Amino acid sequence: MTMVITWEPSCPHAENDSLFYRLSIRDVIRNETSYYMLMNQKNHTHSHTVVAHWGGFYSIYVSTSLPGARSSRPAVCRGPVIPPPYDLTYNPVDGSFFWRRNRTLPHEILTNCSYVLYIARARNMSKASTYECAKPPLVINSLSLGIIYYAAVAIKDSHGYLSPRSQLIRVEKPLGDELVLSQSSVVGVSVSVFLVVVALIMVVGVLAVRHRRLARSFLTFANTHYDRSQGTTHITTDHNLDEDDDSPMIRGFSDDEPLVIA
């Protein structure tokens, strides 16, 4: 649980008893930086030992105490990895997640820790929602029906250090007997229903017009009669039909009169 940091002096042959080295160790997880002022050891290499934390991630810089001195390039170091949980499962019946803790988990973490569940729609876990609990199972009722999610879980100690995430699982809450429509689906269904209604209105209008014409034709036929005494036939026409108004009216005729067509 210790981290040994070594570096070489910028001027190995310079002897300056007043020279100090400034060591900066930034804890990336907790966003905290520790500073150490170390005396010149007059050696080819210098070293310093600090305590590392489970799950820690550190960025280390060193520079001399001289005015205008530049820091070294950062050295990155990780503390011991916290064993992650495993065997993450999801029960769609009650919306609960369950997992198992690693048997190699250190006792100092096990005595005071929590778990963080990550749920996202993207497989790369971007924009993941987090849910924290003391122990499994964890019930999540905010998942939408019929949507595919991805989930993973990590352990978190009392200082806020996290383990790697567990293996990713695919989660889907079944629709069951309920019908779920998205906003785009609702708009599409509404447009389809509107078009069907318009088509039905047009069909009903066409049938109504045809029925009206058929009724007038039947009325015209019913008003047509034959006069036996004069030997003529009278045909009644309806000027309200769609024929041109300039069409001549057909009147009765007899057999002894010539039929003249102009």
Side-chain angles (χ1 to χ4, degrees), residues 174-187:
L175 291 173
D177 297 332
E178 300 183 26
L179 179 61
V180 178
L181 294 177
S182 62
Q183 185 176 1
S184 58
S185 300
V186 171
V187 173

Side-chain angles (χ1 to χ4, degrees), residues 20-240:
F20 287 84
Y21 289 96
R22 185 183 184 186
L23 181 64
S24 304
I25 302 177
R26 180 173 175 265
D27 190 329
V28 179
I29 303 299
R30 304 184 64 179
N31 195 22
E32 297 177 353
T33 303
S34 301
Y35 300 97
Y36 303 88
M37 295 298 294
L38 306 174
M39 294 183 60
N40 186 5
Q41 301 174 2
K42 298 181 180 180
N43 297 326
H44 292 291
T45 60
H46 296 71
S47 65
H48 184 68
T49 303
V50 295
V51 177
H53 198 284
W54 284 94
F57 181 62
Y58 305 96
S59 184
I60 306 168
Y61 303 83
V62 64
S63 66
T64 64
S65 59
L66 297 176
R70 293 182 300 177
S71 298
S72 64
R73 293 182 180 180
V76 177
C77 181
R78 293 183 180 271
V81 177
I82 301 176
Y86 69 100
D87 198 15
L88 176 63
T89 57
Y90 171 69
N91 186 359
V93 177
D94 58 359
S96 63
F97 290 85
F98 188 84
W99 57 87
R100 301 180 186 275
R101 69 167 183 262
N102 202 303
R103 296 180 180 179
T104 61
L105 196 65
H107 180 73
E108 58 268 26
I109 296 178
L110 182 60
T111 53
N112 189 8
C113 67
S114 60
Y115 297 90
V116 180
L117 180 68
Y118 300 86
I119 299 178
R121 293 192 179 186
R123 190 177 182 87
N124 60 2
M125 301 302 290
S126 61
K127 299 181 180 180
S129 301
T130 58
Y131 306 87
E132 190 168 348
C133 68
K135 60 180 181 179
L138 177 60
V139 178
I140 304 296
N141 294 320
S142 59
L143 300 184
S144 302
L145 298 175
I147 302 297
I148 297 176
Y149 296 90
Y150 296 93
V153 63
I155 190 170
K156 181 179 179 181
D157 74 350
S158 58
H159 300 284
Y161 295 93
L162 289 165
S163 73
R165 297 174 184 175
S166 66
Q167 185 178 2
L168 205 65
I169 65 169
R170 185 173 180 268
V171 175
E172 182 178 4
K173 194 171 184 179
L175 291 173
D177 297 332
E178 300 183 26
L179 179 61
V180 178
L181 294 177
S182 62
Q183 185 176 1
S184 58
S185 300
V186 171
V187 173
V189 171
S190 301
V191 172
S192 301
V193 172
F194 175 76
L195 293 178
V196 171
V197 171
V198 171
L200 290 176
I201 293 175
M202 294 178 62
V203 171
V204 171
V206 172
L207 292 178
V209 172
R210 294 187 62 183
H211 177 73
R212 185 178 180 183
R213 290 182 177 179
L214 183 61
R216 289 181 178 179
S217 300
F218 180 78
L219 182 61
T220 301
F221 175 77
N223 291 334
T224 302
H225 61 278
Y226 176 74
D227 191 351
R228 293 183 179 181
S229 61
Q230 297 182 3
T232 59
T233 301
H234 296 277
I235 301 176
T236 303
T237 60
D238 191 349
H239 292 284
N240 293 327

